[in-house]
Each structure stands twice: as structure tokens, then as C-alpha cells.
PDB file of all heavy atoms in Angstrom:
ATOM      1  N   LEU A   1       6.600 -15.787  11.346  1.00  0.00           N
ATOM      2  CA  LEU A   1       7.415 -14.568  11.288  1.00  0.00           C
ATOM      3  C   LEU A   1       7.528 -14.036   9.861  1.00  0.00           C
ATOM      4  O   LEU A   1       7.410 -12.829   9.625  1.00  0.00           O
ATOM      5  CB  LEU A   1       8.794 -14.814  11.903  1.00  0.00           C
ATOM      6  CG  LEU A   1       8.781 -15.148  13.399  1.00  0.00           C
ATOM      7  CD1 LEU A   1      10.194 -15.395  13.905  1.00  0.00           C
ATOM      8  CD2 LEU A   1       8.098 -14.041  14.198  1.00  0.00           C
ATOM      9  N   TRP A   2       7.749 -14.945   8.907  1.00  0.00           N
ATOM     10  CA  TRP A   2       7.774 -14.539   7.495  1.00  0.00           C
ATOM     11  C   TRP A   2       6.407 -14.000   7.080  1.00  0.00           C
ATOM     12  O   TRP A   2       6.310 -13.013   6.362  1.00  0.00           O
ATOM     13  CB  TRP A   2       8.143 -15.708   6.593  1.00  0.00           C
ATOM     14  CG  TRP A   2       9.611 -15.909   6.431  1.00  0.00           C
ATOM     15  CD1 TRP A   2      10.365 -16.885   6.989  1.00  0.00           C
ATOM     16  CD2 TRP A   2      10.507 -15.107   5.656  1.00  0.00           C
ATOM     17  NE1 TRP A   2      11.675 -16.747   6.623  1.00  0.00           N
ATOM     18  CE2 TRP A   2      11.799 -15.659   5.796  1.00  0.00           C
ATOM     19  CE3 TRP A   2      10.341 -13.983   4.860  1.00  0.00           C
ATOM     20  CZ2 TRP A   2      12.905 -15.118   5.168  1.00  0.00           C
ATOM     21  CZ3 TRP A   2      11.458 -13.449   4.228  1.00  0.00           C
ATOM     22  CH2 TRP A   2      12.713 -14.017   4.397  1.00  0.00           C
ATOM     23  N   ALA A   3       5.370 -14.677   7.525  1.00  0.00           N
ATOM     24  CA  ALA A   3       4.011 -14.292   7.131  1.00  0.00           C
ATOM     25  C   ALA A   3       3.668 -12.893   7.628  1.00  0.00           C
ATOM     26  O   ALA A   3       3.208 -12.054   6.844  1.00  0.00           O
ATOM     27  CB  ALA A   3       2.998 -15.307   7.653  1.00  0.00           C
ATOM     28  N   VAL A   4       3.896 -12.625   8.915  1.00  0.00           N
ATOM     29  CA  VAL A   4       3.524 -11.310   9.445  1.00  0.00           C
ATOM     30  C   VAL A   4       4.417 -10.210   8.875  1.00  0.00           C
ATOM     31  O   VAL A   4       3.955  -9.089   8.634  1.00  0.00           O
ATOM     32  CB  VAL A   4       3.498 -11.264  10.993  1.00  0.00           C
ATOM     33  CG1 VAL A   4       2.450 -12.220  11.531  1.00  0.00           C
ATOM     34  CG2 VAL A   4       4.838 -11.530  11.610  1.00  0.00           C
ATOM     35  N   ALA A   5       5.689 -10.531   8.639  1.00  0.00           N
ATOM     36  CA  ALA A   5       6.581  -9.529   8.032  1.00  0.00           C
ATOM     37  C   ALA A   5       6.116  -9.199   6.613  1.00  0.00           C
ATOM     38  O   ALA A   5       6.036  -8.015   6.231  1.00  0.00           O
ATOM     39  CB  ALA A   5       8.023 -10.042   8.019  1.00  0.00           C
ATOM     40  N   LEU A   6       5.784 -10.220   5.853  1.00  0.00           N
ATOM     41  CA  LEU A   6       5.334 -10.008   4.477  1.00  0.00           C
ATOM     42  C   LEU A   6       4.008  -9.255   4.437  1.00  0.00           C
ATOM     43  O   LEU A   6       3.833  -8.331   3.638  1.00  0.00           O
ATOM     44  CB  LEU A   6       5.219 -11.351   3.751  1.00  0.00           C
ATOM     45  CG  LEU A   6       4.956 -11.299   2.258  1.00  0.00           C
ATOM     46  CD1 LEU A   6       6.051 -10.521   1.528  1.00  0.00           C
ATOM     47  CD2 LEU A   6       4.880 -12.707   1.697  1.00  0.00           C
ATOM     48  N   ILE A   7       3.090  -9.617   5.313  1.00  0.00           N
ATOM     49  CA  ILE A   7       1.797  -8.928   5.374  1.00  0.00           C
ATOM     50  C   ILE A   7       1.995  -7.473   5.777  1.00  0.00           C
ATOM     51  O   ILE A   7       1.414  -6.562   5.175  1.00  0.00           O
ATOM     52  CB  ILE A   7       0.837  -9.655   6.348  1.00  0.00           C
ATOM     53  CG1 ILE A   7       0.397 -10.989   5.754  1.00  0.00           C
ATOM     54  CG2 ILE A   7      -0.375  -8.780   6.672  1.00  0.00           C
ATOM     55  CD1 ILE A   7      -0.308 -11.908   6.745  1.00  0.00           C
ATOM     56  N   GLY A   8       2.826  -7.227   6.783  1.00  0.00           N
ATOM     57  CA  GLY A   8       3.068  -5.856   7.240  1.00  0.00           C
ATOM     58  C   GLY A   8       3.720  -4.989   6.177  1.00  0.00           C
ATOM     59  O   GLY A   8       3.292  -3.856   5.923  1.00  0.00           O
ATOM     60  N   VAL A   9       4.763  -5.515   5.530  1.00  0.00           N
ATOM     61  CA  VAL A   9       5.480  -4.750   4.502  1.00  0.00           C
ATOM     62  C   VAL A   9       4.583  -4.513   3.281  1.00  0.00           C
ATOM     63  O   VAL A   9       4.552  -3.402   2.730  1.00  0.00           O
ATOM     64  CB  VAL A   9       6.788  -5.473   4.097  1.00  0.00           C
ATOM     65  CG1 VAL A   9       7.403  -4.869   2.849  1.00  0.00           C
ATOM     66  CG2 VAL A   9       7.783  -5.435   5.255  1.00  0.00           C
ATOM     67  N   THR A  10       3.846  -5.534   2.870  1.00  0.00           N
ATOM     68  CA  THR A  10       2.946  -5.388   1.724  1.00  0.00           C
ATOM     69  C   THR A  10       1.868  -4.349   2.012  1.00  0.00           C
ATOM     70  O   THR A  10       1.594  -3.475   1.175  1.00  0.00           O
ATOM     71  CB  THR A  10       2.302  -6.746   1.364  1.00  0.00           C
ATOM     72  OG1 THR A  10       3.341  -7.684   1.086  1.00  0.00           O
ATOM     73  CG2 THR A  10       1.377  -6.632   0.169  1.00  0.00           C
ATOM     74  N   THR A  11       1.277  -4.418   3.194  1.00  0.00           N
ATOM     75  CA  THR A  11       0.231  -3.459   3.557  1.00  0.00           C
ATOM     76  C   THR A  11       0.807  -2.053   3.676  1.00  0.00           C
ATOM     77  O   THR A  11       0.163  -1.079   3.265  1.00  0.00           O
ATOM     78  CB  THR A  11      -0.469  -3.877   4.865  1.00  0.00           C
ATOM     79  OG1 THR A  11      -0.997  -5.193   4.698  1.00  0.00           O
ATOM     80  CG2 THR A  11      -1.598  -2.924   5.216  1.00  0.00           C
ATOM     81  N   PHE A  12       2.010  -1.939   4.228  1.00  0.00           N
ATOM     82  CA  PHE A  12       2.666  -0.633   4.302  1.00  0.00           C
ATOM     83  C   PHE A  12       2.783  -0.033   2.902  1.00  0.00           C
ATOM     84  O   PHE A  12       2.421   1.122   2.669  1.00  0.00           O
ATOM     85  CB  PHE A  12       4.054  -0.764   4.945  1.00  0.00           C
ATOM     86  CG  PHE A  12       4.820   0.530   4.985  1.00  0.00           C
ATOM     87  CD1 PHE A  12       4.700   1.390   6.071  1.00  0.00           C
ATOM     88  CD2 PHE A  12       5.649   0.899   3.938  1.00  0.00           C
ATOM     89  CE1 PHE A  12       5.393   2.596   6.112  1.00  0.00           C
ATOM     90  CE2 PHE A  12       6.348   2.103   3.962  1.00  0.00           C
ATOM     91  CZ  PHE A  12       6.223   2.950   5.053  1.00  0.00           C
ATOM     92  N   ALA A  13       3.279  -0.832   1.962  1.00  0.00           N
ATOM     93  CA  ALA A  13       3.490  -0.344   0.593  1.00  0.00           C
ATOM     94  C   ALA A  13       2.164   0.033  -0.074  1.00  0.00           C
ATOM     95  O   ALA A  13       2.051   1.088  -0.711  1.00  0.00           O
ATOM     96  CB  ALA A  13       4.222  -1.397  -0.235  1.00  0.00           C
ATOM     97  N   PHE A  14       1.147  -0.825   0.066  1.00  0.00           N
ATOM     98  CA  PHE A  14      -0.151  -0.526  -0.545  1.00  0.00           C
ATOM     99  C   PHE A  14      -0.803   0.687   0.106  1.00  0.00           C
ATOM    100  O   PHE A  14      -1.475   1.471  -0.566  1.00  0.00           O
ATOM    101  CB  PHE A  14      -1.086  -1.741  -0.463  1.00  0.00           C
ATOM    102  CG  PHE A  14      -0.961  -2.669  -1.626  1.00  0.00           C
ATOM    103  CD1 PHE A  14      -0.109  -3.757  -1.570  1.00  0.00           C
ATOM    104  CD2 PHE A  14      -1.690  -2.473  -2.780  1.00  0.00           C
ATOM    105  CE1 PHE A  14       0.018  -4.623  -2.642  1.00  0.00           C
ATOM    106  CE2 PHE A  14      -1.574  -3.327  -3.867  1.00  0.00           C
ATOM    107  CZ  PHE A  14      -0.718  -4.405  -3.800  1.00  0.00           C
ATOM    108  N   SER A  15      -0.623   0.851   1.408  1.00  0.00           N
ATOM    109  CA  SER A  15      -1.210   2.001   2.104  1.00  0.00           C
ATOM    110  C   SER A  15      -0.542   3.293   1.659  1.00  0.00           C
ATOM    111  O   SER A  15      -1.210   4.306   1.426  1.00  0.00           O
ATOM    112  CB  SER A  15      -1.075   1.828   3.619  1.00  0.00           C
ATOM    113  OG  SER A  15      -1.780   0.677   4.036  1.00  0.00           O
ATOM    114  N   TRP A  16       0.780   3.265   1.567  1.00  0.00           N
ATOM    115  CA  TRP A  16       1.530   4.433   1.077  1.00  0.00           C
ATOM    116  C   TRP A  16       1.019   4.811  -0.314  1.00  0.00           C
ATOM    117  O   TRP A  16       0.695   5.964  -0.582  1.00  0.00           O
ATOM    118  CB  TRP A  16       3.020   4.094   1.040  1.00  0.00           C
ATOM    119  CG  TRP A  16       3.922   5.213   0.611  1.00  0.00           C
ATOM    120  CD1 TRP A  16       3.956   5.829  -0.612  1.00  0.00           C
ATOM    121  CD2 TRP A  16       4.920   5.855   1.397  1.00  0.00           C
ATOM    122  NE1 TRP A  16       4.922   6.794  -0.641  1.00  0.00           N
ATOM    123  CE2 TRP A  16       5.534   6.839   0.585  1.00  0.00           C
ATOM    124  CE3 TRP A  16       5.376   5.678   2.683  1.00  0.00           C
ATOM    125  CZ2 TRP A  16       6.565   7.646   1.037  1.00  0.00           C
ATOM    126  CZ3 TRP A  16       6.416   6.488   3.135  1.00  0.00           C
ATOM    127  CH2 TRP A  16       6.984   7.461   2.317  1.00  0.00           C
ATOM    128  N   ALA A  17       0.956   3.804  -1.185  1.00  0.00           N
ATOM    129  CA  ALA A  17       0.493   4.044  -2.550  1.00  0.00           C
ATOM    130  C   ALA A  17      -0.954   4.505  -2.567  1.00  0.00           C
ATOM    131  O   ALA A  17      -1.337   5.356  -3.388  1.00  0.00           O
ATOM    132  CB  ALA A  17       0.652   2.773  -3.385  1.00  0.00           C
ATOM    133  N   GLY A  18      -1.778   3.962  -1.666  1.00  0.00           N
ATOM    134  CA  GLY A  18      -3.189   4.333  -1.617  1.00  0.00           C
ATOM    135  C   GLY A  18      -3.399   5.807  -1.331  1.00  0.00           C
ATOM    136  O   GLY A  18      -4.279   6.446  -1.930  1.00  0.00           O
ATOM    137  N   VAL A  19      -2.612   6.353  -0.422  1.00  0.00           N
ATOM    138  CA  VAL A  19      -2.718   7.781  -0.121  1.00  0.00           C
ATOM    139  C   VAL A  19      -2.402   8.589  -1.374  1.00  0.00           C
ATOM    140  O   VAL A  19      -3.116   9.533  -1.726  1.00  0.00           O
ATOM    141  CB  VAL A  19      -1.786   8.181   1.051  1.00  0.00           C
ATOM    142  CG1 VAL A  19      -1.746   9.696   1.225  1.00  0.00           C
ATOM    143  CG2 VAL A  19      -2.229   7.512   2.350  1.00  0.00           C
ATOM    144  N   LYS A  20      -1.355   8.195  -2.079  1.00  0.00           N
ATOM    145  CA  LYS A  20      -0.965   8.903  -3.308  1.00  0.00           C
ATOM    146  C   LYS A  20      -2.027   8.742  -4.399  1.00  0.00           C
ATOM    147  O   LYS A  20      -2.413   9.707  -5.059  1.00  0.00           O
ATOM    148  CB  LYS A  20       0.387   8.384  -3.828  1.00  0.00           C
ATOM    149  CG  LYS A  20       1.556   8.839  -3.009  1.00  0.00           C
ATOM    150  CD  LYS A  20       1.686  10.335  -3.105  1.00  0.00           C
ATOM    151  CE  LYS A  20       3.071  10.796  -2.730  1.00  0.00           C
ATOM    152  NZ  LYS A  20       3.175  12.255  -2.795  1.00  0.00           N
ATOM    153  N   VAL A  21      -2.511   7.517  -4.589  1.00  0.00           N
ATOM    154  CA  VAL A  21      -3.530   7.253  -5.611  1.00  0.00           C
ATOM    155  C   VAL A  21      -4.801   8.042  -5.308  1.00  0.00           C
ATOM    156  O   VAL A  21      -5.379   8.667  -6.199  1.00  0.00           O
ATOM    157  CB  VAL A  21      -3.831   5.741  -5.722  1.00  0.00           C
ATOM    158  CG1 VAL A  21      -5.092   5.471  -6.529  1.00  0.00           C
ATOM    159  CG2 VAL A  21      -2.649   5.005  -6.325  1.00  0.00           C
ATOM    160  N   GLY A  22      -5.219   8.015  -4.057  1.00  0.00           N
ATOM    161  CA  GLY A  22      -6.420   8.748  -3.671  1.00  0.00           C
ATOM    162  C   GLY A  22      -6.276  10.231  -3.914  1.00  0.00           C
ATOM    163  O   GLY A  22      -7.215  10.893  -4.386  1.00  0.00           O
ATOM    164  N   ASN A  23      -5.115  10.746  -3.621  1.00  0.00           N
ATOM    165  CA  ASN A  23      -4.876  12.166  -3.826  1.00  0.00           C
ATOM    166  C   ASN A  23      -4.814  12.511  -5.310  1.00  0.00           C
ATOM    167  O   ASN A  23      -5.241  13.588  -5.717  1.00  0.00           O
ATOM    168  CB  ASN A  23      -3.587  12.572  -3.107  1.00  0.00           C
ATOM    169  CG  ASN A  23      -3.462  14.062  -2.965  1.00  0.00           C
ATOM    170  OD1 ASN A  23      -2.606  14.678  -3.582  1.00  0.00           O
ATOM    171  ND2 ASN A  23      -4.335  14.647  -2.151  1.00  0.00           N
ATOM    172  N   LEU A  24      -4.317  11.604  -6.130  1.00  0.00           N
ATOM    173  CA  LEU A  24      -4.173  11.877  -7.563  1.00  0.00           C
ATOM    174  C   LEU A  24      -5.429  11.569  -8.380  1.00  0.00           C
ATOM    175  O   LEU A  24      -5.824  12.323  -9.251  1.00  0.00           O
ATOM    176  CB  LEU A  24      -3.013  11.071  -8.142  1.00  0.00           C
ATOM    177  CG  LEU A  24      -1.613  11.472  -7.692  1.00  0.00           C
ATOM    178  CD1 LEU A  24      -0.580  10.483  -8.225  1.00  0.00           C
ATOM    179  CD2 LEU A  24      -1.284  12.879  -8.148  1.00  0.00           C
ATOM    180  N   PHE A  25      -6.048  10.426  -8.111  1.00  0.00           N
ATOM    181  CA  PHE A  25      -7.102   9.937  -8.998  1.00  0.00           C
ATOM    182  C   PHE A  25      -8.501   9.899  -8.403  1.00  0.00           C
ATOM    183  O   PHE A  25      -9.450   9.592  -9.110  1.00  0.00           O
ATOM    184  CB  PHE A  25      -6.761   8.524  -9.492  1.00  0.00           C
ATOM    185  CG  PHE A  25      -5.495   8.471 -10.274  1.00  0.00           C
ATOM    186  CD1 PHE A  25      -4.372   7.873  -9.750  1.00  0.00           C
ATOM    187  CD2 PHE A  25      -5.426   9.030 -11.538  1.00  0.00           C
ATOM    188  CE1 PHE A  25      -3.192   7.822 -10.469  1.00  0.00           C
ATOM    189  CE2 PHE A  25      -4.256   8.984 -12.261  1.00  0.00           C
ATOM    190  CZ  PHE A  25      -3.135   8.381 -11.733  1.00  0.00           C
ATOM    191  N   GLY A  26      -8.632  10.098  -7.124  1.00  0.00           N
ATOM    192  CA  GLY A  26      -9.950  10.086  -6.519  1.00  0.00           C
ATOM    193  C   GLY A  26     -10.413   8.692  -6.133  1.00  0.00           C
ATOM    194  O   GLY A  26      -9.628   7.764  -6.040  1.00  0.00           O
ATOM    195  N   ALA A  27     -11.704   8.535  -5.942  1.00  0.00           N
ATOM    196  CA  ALA A  27     -12.291   7.315  -5.396  1.00  0.00           C
ATOM    197  C   ALA A  27     -12.480   6.211  -6.435  1.00  0.00           C
ATOM    198  O   ALA A  27     -13.035   5.165  -6.130  1.00  0.00           O
ATOM    199  CB  ALA A  27     -13.642   7.638  -4.756  1.00  0.00           C
ATOM    200  N   LYS A  28     -12.005   6.407  -7.633  1.00  0.00           N
ATOM    201  CA  LYS A  28     -12.227   5.475  -8.741  1.00  0.00           C
ATOM    202  C   LYS A  28     -11.789   4.044  -8.434  1.00  0.00           C
ATOM    203  O   LYS A  28     -12.435   3.085  -8.840  1.00  0.00           O
ATOM    204  CB  LYS A  28     -11.469   6.005  -9.958  1.00  0.00           C
ATOM    205  CG  LYS A  28     -11.664   5.252 -11.220  1.00  0.00           C
ATOM    206  CD  LYS A  28     -10.904   5.962 -12.328  1.00  0.00           C
ATOM    207  CE  LYS A  28     -11.044   5.250 -13.638  1.00  0.00           C
ATOM    208  NZ  LYS A  28     -10.302   5.911 -14.686  1.00  0.00           N
ATOM    209  N   PHE A  29     -10.674   3.859  -7.695  1.00  0.00           N
ATOM    210  CA  PHE A  29     -10.101   2.525  -7.487  1.00  0.00           C
ATOM    211  C   PHE A  29     -10.495   1.864  -6.167  1.00  0.00           C
ATOM    212  O   PHE A  29     -10.192   0.714  -5.951  1.00  0.00           O
ATOM    213  CB  PHE A  29      -8.573   2.588  -7.576  1.00  0.00           C
ATOM    214  CG  PHE A  29      -8.084   3.047  -8.913  1.00  0.00           C
ATOM    215  CD1 PHE A  29      -7.540   4.300  -9.074  1.00  0.00           C
ATOM    216  CD2 PHE A  29      -8.194   2.216 -10.021  1.00  0.00           C
ATOM    217  CE1 PHE A  29      -7.098   4.726 -10.311  1.00  0.00           C
ATOM    218  CE2 PHE A  29      -7.759   2.637 -11.267  1.00  0.00           C
ATOM    219  CZ  PHE A  29      -7.209   3.896 -11.411  1.00  0.00           C
TER     220      PHE A  29
END
């Protein structure tokens, strides 16, 4: 339960940031 919660929350945060990063900086990362 801790594992899936941590994986889900971490991926949510990275995905949110990824949309912003992609929109700001392009495919560089």
C-alpha cells in the first residue's frame, strides 16, 4: 500500500511537471 501510493504520487508529480517542462523547454530533457 505504501509502495503503490508512493509510486502513484511520485508519478503524478513528475507527470504534472513534465507537461510544464515540455511546454517551457522542449524535448531537451
Side-chain angles (χ1 to χ4, degrees):
L1 296 179
W2 274 106
V4 297
L6 188 58
I7 290 168
V9 168
T10 302
T11 303
F12 177 90
F14 271 93
S15 298
W16 182 296
V19 172
K20 287 295 200 181
V21 167
N23 195 248
L24 291 174
F25 299 109
K28 185 177 179 181
F29 299 108

